[in-house]
Amino acid sequence: MPSSLFDIATPREDVLEGTLADAIFAASLDEVVNGKAPAVYGDPATFFAGTHPSAGLRALLDEALGRIGGGRPDAASVIRLETNLGGGKTHNLIALYHAARGHLPADRIEEFMTPANYPAEPIERPAVFVGTSAGATSFPEIDGVEAQTLWGFLALQLGGTDTYSFVREADESLTAPGSSAIKDVLGGAPRLVLIDELARYLTTAGGKTVGGTTLARQTVAFLMALMEAVDAHPRASLVITTTETTEAFGDSTQEALDAIAEARQLMARREHVLRPSEEADLPKILARRLFESVDRTGAAELGQAYAQAALDAEARGVDVPEAMEDPRWAGEVAESYPFHPTLIRVLDKRLSTIPNFQRTRGALRLLARTVRSVWEEKQDGVDLIKLDQVDLGDIDTVEDLSSRLDRGAFEPVIRADIVSSGGGDPSHAELIDTQMGARYARRLATAAYLFSLTTEVPSTTAGELIGSVLAPGDDPSVAQKALDGLESSAWYLHVDARGYRFSTERSLNKMIEEATREITTQKTKVRATQVLSEQFRDGAFKVRRAWEDAKVPDRSDEAQLVILHWDDFPETNGVDVADGVPPRALDLWERTPAGGIREFRNRLVVLAPTGDGHISMLDAVRRQLALTALADNSDALASLSPEKRAQLNDMAKESELEARIAVCNHVNLLFVPQAEGLEPIELDSVTRASVKRNQTEAILDRLAAMEKTLATGDKALDPGFIKQKLGAQLESAFPTSGFAEVFARRTDLKLVLDKDKLRELVAAGVRNEVWEYHDALTDRWGTKARPDVSVRLADDTFVYPVGSATITDEPCPICGKVHGPGPCPDGAETRDEEPKTRDLARTFTGEGNAATAFATARQAALDAGRKAIERLDVRIGHMGAGGPVELQKLLSVVPTSDTGVTLRYDIKLEAGLGQGERLVVEFGGQPSDYAHLRDGVRQAIGSRESVVDATLGGAFDPAVALDGEDADHIQSRAADTGPSKCTVTITTEAPDGAA
């Protein structure tokens, strides 16, 4: 396989130098006859050196010259060349003219025709008429005579004034001569008559009145007589060119065809129709005219390489056209070498259907500039000339493919989406290529543009686009990615079920870009601030937004998250991690709102923005505002197809998520209290998968990973470690409420989020003989010997050094057990000489705050002589914001785990969320199974105003003793974390005698 096209092909010098004049691309038979044509057409040797001997040209020379020279007496007398404009007909007439005059180089005769058909004597005076070079009645002067008609002009060429005399009267009267007069004009010598561009002349002649008819009709009558005369002449040939009706002058051409059809009825047995060239000839014609030489030795091998590249792309999931998967594709590549078959197909089947783009000369003009550009750049790996190598950065090429084709409005499309002009902003394709580090987007966009110039079939599939530019060694996956990038960013590229097409109409991308420009920076910042507020809400932390309230209270009982705004850093829009703790954050952490020293620093964390995320955040929020505005704009929606409207709605929804992510990634620098001070922690990047409805939870997760927080479910604290930390504070009576304050003050300790963990700490210290516990209210002690005491965190409960307890270890004379002061629990009934009438109720209720409600219900049960709690139900009714917080308080009353107790939850929840929304939840099962549902409920209610009616029921197995430590534990939880207003119902064992 050739390593490079530059090694095996040599372009013509004028192609490389760019000196080809436009006239070279417009073959003119008239100029050849008059000796005014450029050498490429006028010099026979040069002409035939640059001409491909197509099958149509060989047939023409064999037919016409064979009849004239006598080598083929049975050849057709009348030959009609039928093709569209630019299809090679004029070129073939020039070839026939040169050959008939004996100017076909001897060493090329066999290449262009059968040598036996080449005339022994040249035709000195062929008669030639080109319809574009004459008016209706004005023709070039010959031998001092200026003919007025086609027949007079041809007669003068064939024999001067002598032959003209046979038709002089008919010429002067503008009436068609009869066939006998024409036979006299032809005489007995070999004759060749060439008529080109007849349709154009008939258009002009149709405006000249001749009696009751027109000169055009008289010309048709002459053609009928001419055909008859030529057919009667054994060594005369008439060649007429016609064009198909799909091109310019098509209607006039059809008029001529209709007229000729009248004569054809007489001449049908003799007329022969030829097409000068077919699609398969086009690459060879183009190569012959553009290149001095092309070594085709490796064409077959290269074809195989391109076929394999297509198969490899298909195997990797990238669609390519079925034709490229066909075993014959390798042969097509080899046949069109050095051009890619798709390039030839677009030139021949698409661009050639545009009236101003003539099939051969238009392709020659375009490819001459393309070849020059390719040789100037000489990029590595070029082995074929493909669609994507058409240089739309070249102003002349752009002119050819826009204004010259009546597509002038396409130039802005090229500059915006495909390739920029010198010094202009990069196009969207160029930006994509820069980002990807590969030049696929510009190649694909160029190919898409060329496919888009026809109105009949303006679209092409992704497979056709990728296949048209794909070369061996290319990565089809990267090409597909580049195409996706164009789809999402180009302003004028439209994509629908039919495929890809460029249009001067703005695409959805362009509409979005225009809408985005209308969103002001101020409006963007306001929305970004709103998103920030929505993303970080109360939970385990009380969220305080510095831009709403700069006063952050100094509290020991409330963990606080302070969020700083980018406007707090006007010059940088955020904090640089390398700069350490900013003064704004440090001041908040060290000082109270009144200016004093903050005492409870371990209850405060600060979240700040980083400077490098500000612009991307504004871009994402601005896009979200623009998309939302477009989706609500009825005029914009009316201009879009149903598919694009659906796409716009999807993009608007997607942009909301992207805006949230961008805000979270901008405000992502957390300052955490540590022993040495505030430590800056950069949070993990937020993604679609990780973004949360309340991003405060992500901060909790990060703090937990740092082992900075003490929350429900965390490993219990080591009391020995805490005693070592507190030192002298524990050498005398220390109130248990002081533990919370110590943890709130000392930044070298954990940040407490669940006070119950401090109760566990106190209880563990009793069990491990680190300290002793005393409840002054009940005068009960907890020691290693009596560790089953119920711990309360309060000002009237204390821990003491070991050995401080003043208790008796004497057994009770009634029950034989050691217990606290007061009557023996087991001997109460035995001391009653006459048992009282027992209350038969099983349920006992209390109302108020959780501690009061539980104590009321518990005491009522004890007064009724009940022994155990089999079930506990707590009900809340909440109205307003903060629903999730109240639910959390509700859940905290019933313990999730207790030694020796199996607990089952029963939860009923109904919440009115406003705007007709309603949430209903019923759950029964283990507490651990409710955890995932709990998070969902919390997110669903959020910070909205809501009406919440919820009941939590817990069934205990075995039952919990009413006067035991488990009940005391529930009492403590109710006091510390329970709801401020609720109804508590205790269900006990069935009393004796109850049904």
Side-chain angles (χ1 to χ4, degrees):
M1 183 175 68
S3 58
S4 171
L5 179 65
F6 310 115
D7 296 332
I8 51 83
T10 303
R12 295 187 180 277
E13 196 64 29
D14 50 4
V15 172
L16 290 178
E17 292 176 357
T19 57
L20 282 76
D22 278 352
I24 295 176
F25 299 115
S28 171
L29 177 60
D30 201 37
E31 290 182 354
V32 171
V33 173
N34 294 331
K36 297 179 180 180
V40 67
Y41 293 116
D43 177 65
T46 303
F47 174 81
F48 283 107
T51 298
H52 169 65
S54 66
L57 177 55
R58 288 181 59 89
L60 172 64
L61 296 182
D62 277 338
E63 286 284 323
L65 297 182
R67 178 176 174 83
I68 293 171
R72 283 195 56 183
D74 60 338
S77 58
V78 179
I79 300 172
R80 179 162 57 91
L81 298 183
E82 181 180 79
T83 183
N84 52 5
L85 288 176
K89 52 183 175 47
T90 301
H91 196 91
N92 282 17
L93 287 182
I94 293 172
L96 177 57
Y97 176 81
H98 283 313
R101 297 185 66 216
H103 296 156
L104 175 59
D107 60 347
R108 291 191 179 274
I109 292 177
E110 188 171 358
E111 181 183 7
F112 282 87
M113 63 180 296
T114 303
N117 294 328
Y118 190 65
E121 298 293 333
I123 306 298
E124 292 296 336
R125 301 190 69 166
V128 178
F129 170 71
V130 179
T132 56
S133 62
T137 58
S138 60
F139 292 82
E141 180 180 306
I142 299 176
D143 292 347
V145 178
E146 185 175 333
Q148 298 185 63
T149 63
L150 175 56
W151 44 92
F153 182 58
L154 293 177
L156 284 169
Q157 290 185 74
L158 289 171
T161 55
D162 291 340
T163 54
Y164 175 71
S165 63
F166 295 115
V167 295
R168 177 188 295 273
E169 183 177 347
D171 180 57
E172 293 174 348
S173 64
L174 307 183
T175 57
S179 61
S180 60
I182 298 173
K183 290 177 182 178
D184 290 338
V185 170
L186 294 176
R191 297 294 190 183
L192 175 63
V193 179
L194 307 179
I195 299 178
D196 193 17
E197 305 286 5
L198 176 63
R200 297 184 185 234
Y201 174 72
L202 290 176
T203 301
T204 303
K208 178 67 175 179
T209 301
V210 179
T213 184
T214 65
L215 182 57
R217 297 306 303 172
Q218 292 295 321
T219 301
V220 170
F222 161 69
L223 290 175
M224 295 172 64
L226 176 62
M227 290 182 185
E228 182 178 351
V230 169
D231 187 61
H233 194 304
R235 297 186 65 183
S237 179
L238 169 64
V239 181
I240 301 177
T241 66
T242 59
T243 56
E244 295 175 353
T245 58
T246 57
E247 294 301 323
F249 303 99
D251 293 339
S252 298
T253 301
Q254 190 60 49
E255 178 184 344
L257 290 175
D258 291 341
I260 293 172
E262 301 176 33
R264 189 181 301 161
Q265 294 178 4
L266 297 174
M267 310 306 301
R269 291 177 296 174
R270 293 295 180 182
E271 182 194 48
H272 186 58
V273 180
L274 292 176
R275 289 187 65 86
S277 63
E278 301 294 340
E279 180 181 345
D281 295 313
L282 190 54
K284 297 179 177 62
I285 292 172
L286 296 172
R288 189 74 173 256
R289 297 195 197 179
L290 295 172
F291 291 93
E292 291 284 355
S293 63
V294 176
D295 181 359
R296 296 180 50 84
T297 304
E301 187 179 353
L302 183 65
Q304 291 292 339
Y306 267 81
Q308 187 60 51
L311 294 176
D312 291 345
E314 185 69 22
R316 296 177 63 176
V318 177
D319 289 336
V320 294
E322 291 183 8
M324 294 186 184
E325 299 178 65
D326 191 293
R328 293 171 291 185
W329 178 244
E332 288 189 47
V333 175
E335 280 298 311
S336 65
Y337 188 77
F339 305 104
H340 192 282
T342 306
L343 170 62
I344 299 302
R345 195 168 295 124
V346 169
L347 293 174
D348 188 51
K349 300 298 184 184
R350 291 212 179 212
L351 296 186
S352 67
T353 65
I354 301 174
N356 291 354
F357 186 95
Q358 295 181 320
R359 180 173 178 262
T360 304
R361 71 183 64 164
L364 275 172
R365 181 187 297 109
L366 178 63
L367 289 182
R369 294 195 177 99
T370 300
V371 169
R372 181 187 177 193
S373 174
V374 168
W375 253 257
E376 284 179 346
E377 290 191 24
K378 283 199 173 180
Q379 293 184 1
D380 293 338
V382 175
D383 45 32
L384 283 180
I385 298 174
K386 303 190 294 295
L387 277 174
D388 55 284
Q389 288 164 326
V390 174
D391 185 8
L392 295 181
D394 176 69
I395 189 170
D396 293 325
T397 300
V398 171
E399 174 73 12
D400 273 352
L401 293 174
S402 55
S403 300
R404 192 186 290 271
L405 302 182
D406 294 330
R407 305 291 196 273
F410 269 100
E411 184 170 355
V413 175
I414 294 172
R415 297 306 174 218
D417 285 341
I418 305 172
V419 55
S420 60
S421 58
D425 292 335
S427 69
H428 291 107
E430 289 169 330
L431 288 173
I432 293 170
D433 285 341
T434 299
Q435 294 166 2
M436 295 180 62
R439 191 178 172 179
Y440 284 100
R442 177 174 168 179
R443 292 165 60 189
L444 289 162
T446 300
Y449 177 80
L450 293 170
F451 273 109
S452 302
L453 288 175
T454 52
T455 55
E456 291 81 3
V457 190
S459 299
T460 188
T461 66
E464 286 177 313
L465 279 179
I466 293 176
S468 71
V469 306
L470 190 66
D474 281 345
D475 188 334
S477 300
V478 178
Q480 181 64 64
K481 185 177 180 180
L483 187 58
D484 294 340
L486 284 172
E487 181 177 349
S488 63
S489 63
W491 286 352
Y492 298 99
L493 182 65
H494 297 259
V495 185
D496 53 30
R498 295 174 298 176
Y500 295 75
R501 65 183 175 90
F502 277 107
S503 168
T504 55
E505 298 175 359
R506 61 181 184 167
S507 68
L508 181 55
N509 292 333
K510 176 64 170 173
M511 293 174 64
I512 294 170
E513 192 275 339
E514 291 173 347
T516 302
R517 284 205 304 264
E518 295 178 1
I519 306 298
T520 65
T521 299
Q522 179 59 30
K523 186 175 182 180
T524 302
K525 288 185 175 180
V526 169
R527 174 56 186 159
T529 301
Q530 182 182 0
V531 173
L532 180 59
S533 298
E534 293 169 351
Q535 278 302 117
F536 293 91
R537 303 189 304 277
D538 291 347
F541 281 105
K542 172 66 178 177
V543 175
R544 297 191 180 277
R545 303 173 183 91
W547 62 94
E548 294 177 350
D549 184 3
K551 297 179 180 180
V552 182
D554 189 21
R555 293 178 179 173
S556 65
D557 60 344
E558 186 176 59
Q560 302 179 90
L561 169 66
V562 180
I563 303 178
L564 300 181
H565 197 271
W566 42 84
D567 287 345
D568 289 321
F569 310 95
E571 294 183 0
T572 58
N573 296 311
V575 179
D576 187 336
V577 181
D579 292 340
V581 182
R584 178 82 169 96
L586 193 60
D587 185 64
L588 276 168
W589 188 65
E590 292 181 340
R591 298 286 179 178
T592 66
I597 300 299
R598 185 176 295 277
E599 182 179 2
F600 302 113
R601 298 183 183 184
N602 205 39
R603 302 296 279 164
L604 184 67
V605 295
V606 180
L607 183 67
T610 53
D612 56 0
H614 190 69
I615 299 302
S616 58
M617 179 201 71
L618 292 180
D619 289 344
V621 174
R622 183 179 281 111
R623 178 177 172 83
Q624 187 256 322
L625 289 171
L627 284 166
T628 301
L630 271 180
D632 293 335
N633 187 320
S634 57
D635 291 339
L637 293 175
S639 68
L640 298 172
S641 66
E643 294 81 9
K644 289 298 180 183
R645 285 197 293 271
Q647 182 183 352
L648 174 60
N649 286 328
D650 290 342
M651 292 172 72
K653 293 177 183 177
E654 190 78 5
S655 70
E656 183 179 357
L657 176 61
E658 294 293 343
R660 289 169 51 204
I661 291 172
V663 169
C664 293
N665 282 329
H666 179 32
V667 185
N668 72 333
L669 186 59
L670 189 67
F671 294 95
V672 181
Q674 298 287 25
E676 299 80 12
L678 281 180
E679 178 185 356
I681 302 294
E682 195 164 6
L683 300 176
D684 294 336
S685 293
V686 179
T687 65
R688 292 170 181 267
S690 66
V691 65
K692 300 178 183 295
R693 295 189 68 85
N694 185 355
Q695 203 62 22
T696 307
E697 296 174 14
I699 293 177
L700 290 172
D701 292 343
R702 183 58 180 270
L703 292 174
M706 297 169 58
E707 298 186 351
K708 176 61 181 175
T709 53
L710 187 62
T712 304
D714 286 348
K715 181 181 178 182
L717 291 170
D718 177 7
F721 172 76
I722 297 302
K723 180 181 179 180
Q724 180 183 358
K725 283 284 188 180
L726 270 59
Q729 288 180 274
L730 298 182
E731 291 178 357
S732 59
F734 181 78
T736 57
S737 59
F739 280 106
E741 292 189 358
V742 166
F743 274 82
R745 288 189 187 95
R746 295 189 54 163
T747 57
D748 59 336
L749 297 177
K750 292 194 174 187
L751 195 159
V752 177
L753 300 178
D754 182 2
K755 275 189 175 182
D756 198 40
K757 304 303 291 185
L758 296 181
R759 278 192 295 273
E760 292 179 7
L761 169 65
V762 174
V766 172
R767 291 193 302 271
N768 297 335
E769 205 174 5
V770 176
W771 49 63
E772 294 176 342
Y773 168 83
H774 182 243
D775 187 330
L777 181 64
T778 61
D779 194 27
R780 297 181 67 178
W781 282 89
T783 66
K784 183 176 182 181
R786 299 180 60 179
D788 54 349
V789 67
S790 177
V791 174
R792 288 189 302 117
L793 298 181
D795 292 336
D796 58 356
T797 61
F798 302 85
V799 294
Y800 288 85
V802 175
S804 301
T806 55
I807 58 175
T808 176
D809 291 332
E810 295 295 325
C812 175
I814 297 174
C815 65
K817 301 176 182 178
V818 175
H819 56 71
C824 175
D826 294 338
E829 291 190 22
T830 63
R831 294 193 297 271
D832 290 338
E833 295 181 359
E834 294 182 2
K836 299 177 181 179
T837 303
R838 302 183 66 83
D839 190 339
L840 300 181
R842 291 189 65 190
T843 59
F844 303 89
T845 302
E847 295 184 351
N849 62 57
T852 300
F854 180 77
T856 301
R858 181 186 185 189
Q859 190 60 52
L862 286 169
D863 291 344
R866 301 295 174 264
K867 302 292 185 184
I869 305 174
E870 293 186 351
R871 180 179 179 85
L872 176 65
D873 291 276
V874 185
R875 179 177 180 179
I876 63 169
H878 172 79
M879 180 178 296
V885 175
E886 291 303 310
L887 286 174
Q888 184 64 35
K889 291 180 177 180
L890 172 65
L891 292 172
S892 71
V893 177
V894 180
T896 57
S897 63
D898 290 272
T899 304
V901 175
T902 300
L903 177 65
R904 174 182 173 84
Y905 267 180
D906 289 298
I907 296 175
K908 292 184 179 180
L909 165 67
E910 182 171 340
L913 306 179
Q915 299 181 343
E917 296 184 25
R918 183 165 163 264
L919 175 68
V920 177
V921 176
E922 290 191 9
F923 172 82
Q926 299 300 313
S928 59
D929 295 331
Y930 182 69
H932 300 299
L933 186 59
R934 177 191 62 207
D935 294 339
V937 169
R938 183 169 56 196
Q939 291 182 4
I941 298 177
S943 60
R944 292 183 285 183
E945 297 282 332
S946 58
V947 178
V948 178
D949 187 346
T951 300
L952 166 65
F956 303 99
D957 182 18
V960 172
L962 268 166
D963 61 350
E965 293 185 1
D966 288 335
D968 290 344
H969 187 58
I970 294 173
Q971 180 79 50
S972 296
R973 294 180 68 93
D976 290 342
T977 60
S980 59
K981 185 178 181 180
C982 64
T983 300
V984 174
T985 301
I986 291 175
T987 302
T988 67
E989 80 281 5
D992 295 340

